[in-house]
Amino acid sequence: MTLSSALSSQPFKVDLLSCFQAAEKLKAYRPAPVAEPWAEEPKVDQFVFKILFISVCHQMNWDVMQSAMAAYLFPDTYSRLDEFSCIKASKIDDLLSDYPKQERVRAAERARILRETAARLKQLIPDRNAAERRIAHALLEGPDGFYGFAAEIDAFTGDPFEKKPRVLAHDLFREKIIPFRDPENLKPAVEYHLIRLYLRSGRVSTEDETVREVLSGPRLPTRDRLVRLVREAVEDAMRQTALYAGLDAATLNYLEWQIGRAVCVEELDDATVAKYCLSDENHDLPDDIRSLCANGCPMNSFCRKLSDPQYPWLNEPHFQKAFY
């Protein structure tokens, strides 16, 4: 079968039993309080900072970008929107001059996005009182809800899976910047570490050999439709896992993103299973997640890859869109 034929329908399936097994491992998780360096800044400034930072955070290390942007955007973030709407590429270059993968800095692109986002924020929340009212309207859905607000900003549109606005909502909720009153409406933010984790664990799988070959072969750009179909399946599986575990989507996203980033790493293979999947010695994890990985990956007792020698080491599809 050709790849086009394989993608004419949904080649990925969600295994509800695996979702339940994962939920059983994850449901005891209790997140540690989030205490970021900016936690004492006014809520309005934290709110605006998160929007500006996440608007330009793609194809780069999250922690590096967040630290660099925090150093520049605080203090008095809201009051400096006019300044940010005039930022030049040279400033982005300066902020990220130590980043080891300089080809990903793309200073002109990020400066443009930051300028546009700052200018749009000034229109949407023209004074601090308007920003405070936006925070006080702590609903995700419905008339004038947060998702609708985010859709008014170009940097948060264009992706049918809404990764950036969903990640933004997660951060605002987890850091208690906006205590959304309808957390049941938080949506999963499908990200490449999560796609890899769900494919390998078997919560999302494919029996199509052509699709398997693409996902286990060299990391080459692949078809948009393949990316869309696997993201659809992973989002479905994440919703099921969160439901079974009794966790909100923001907490599940954070928890499993850390596991995918530090445990189910891209370079994992048969030779490194013991190092990553069956041991906690090499995991760079926050303390609140480390206890879940005391015996290696929490999924190792039912992981499709570990239990089925014929199942390949699948990776997320390689995709170069900014929103991915």
Side-chain angles (χ1 to χ4, degrees):
M1 180 183 290
T2 66
L3 183 59
S4 294
S5 298
L7 300 180
S8 64
S9 59
Q10 173 57 280
F12 299 98
K13 65 178 182 179
V14 175
D15 187 322
L16 295 181
L17 176 58
S18 293
C19 291
F20 178 78
Q21 290 173 309
E24 287 293 292
K25 299 289 186 178
L26 302 176
K27 68 181 183 181
Y29 173 69
R30 296 294 179 269
V34 181
E36 299 289 2
W38 47 84
E40 298 304 316
E41 298 286 343
K43 294 293 186 186
V44 167
D45 292 322
Q46 294 185 55
F47 175 54
V48 172
F49 161 68
K50 283 292 179 179
I51 295 172
L52 293 172
F53 152 58
I54 292 176
S55 76
V56 296
C57 190
H58 49 264
Q59 299 284 319
M60 275 198 69
N61 180 280
W62 174 277
D63 292 329
V64 171
M65 177 62 85
Q66 182 162 236
S67 295
M69 296 306 295
Y72 171 53
L73 297 174
F74 285 118
D76 303 321
T77 310
Y78 177 84
S79 300
R80 295 165 59 205
L81 280 174
D82 287 336
E83 172 190 339
F84 305 143
S85 67
C86 299
I87 189 172
K88 297 183 182 300
S90 57
K91 183 62 178 181
I92 301 295
D93 277 325
D94 289 344
L95 290 170
L96 300 171
S97 60
D98 294 331
Y99 193 66
K101 298 180 179 179
Q102 281 293 300
E103 71 278 6
R104 294 192 178 184
V105 170
R106 288 152 48 183
E109 173 191 311
R110 295 186 204 278
R112 174 186 58 78
I113 294 172
L114 199 64
R115 289 194 300 270
E116 293 173 353
T117 303
R120 185 62 175 143
L121 282 174
K122 198 61 184 289
Q123 294 173 339
L124 293 172
I125 43 177
D127 53 49
R128 293 187 75 93
N129 287 336
E132 289 170 355
R133 288 194 298 272
R134 166 56 53 190
I135 292 171
H137 185 80
L139 289 172
L140 290 157
E141 297 282 9
D144 201 33
F146 174 78
Y147 289 135
F149 169 79
E152 296 292 320
I153 302 171
D154 284 349
F156 296 96
T157 63
D159 174 12
F161 286 84
E162 304 173 329
K163 178 186 169 184
K164 280 189 175 182
R166 294 183 185 195
V167 169
L168 175 57
H170 292 182
D171 260 29
L172 294 172
F173 181 72
R174 291 184 60 251
E175 295 184 28
K176 295 182 170 55
I177 298 170
I178 300 183
F180 294 115
R181 301 195 301 273
D182 55 346
E184 67 278 6
N185 288 323
L186 287 164
K187 303 174 183 178
V190 180
E191 189 267 354
Y192 65 95
H193 291 308
L194 294 165
I195 293 175
R196 183 170 65 245
L197 179 64
Y198 273 68
L199 285 171
R200 291 177 178 176
S201 68
R203 280 178 281 174
V204 170
S205 63
T206 179
E207 304 306 317
D208 186 278
E209 292 298 331
T210 306
V211 175
R212 285 188 182 185
E213 184 178 342
V214 170
L215 296 180
S216 60
R219 299 295 309 285
L220 299 173
T222 191
R223 301 190 187 186
D224 291 8
R225 180 167 173 79
L226 175 58
V227 176
R228 181 173 67 80
L229 291 173
V230 72
R231 289 176 78 180
E232 283 179 355
V234 171
E235 177 171 343
D236 186 11
M238 290 182 72
R239 290 181 184 276
Q240 294 297 328
T241 303
L243 176 65
Y244 294 150
L247 297 174
D248 62 75
T251 299
L252 181 78
N253 242 98
Y254 167 75
L255 168 57
E256 295 211 89
W257 181 83
Q258 293 286 357
I259 294 171
R261 175 193 65 81
V263 182
C264 197
V265 295
E266 179 184 337
E267 59 269 24
L268 191 55
D269 57 23
D270 291 337
T272 53
V273 163
K275 176 181 178 181
Y276 286 97
C277 302
L278 307 177
S279 167
D280 70 341
E281 295 180 4
N282 300 284
H283 299 161
D284 174 24
L285 290 168
D287 290 341
D288 60 342
I289 295 176
R290 185 176 297 278
S291 61
L292 284 175
C293 301
N295 298 309
C297 178
M299 320 300 168
N300 59 23
S301 63
F302 65 88
C303 174
R304 172 77 182 272
K305 173 54 198 168
L306 297 186
S307 62
D308 181 358
Q310 302 305 312
Y311 198 69
W313 285 105
L314 299 180
N315 280 309
E316 68 282 0
H318 186 57
F319 195 57
Q320 288 295 342
K321 293 289 186 181
F323 55 67
Y324 186 62

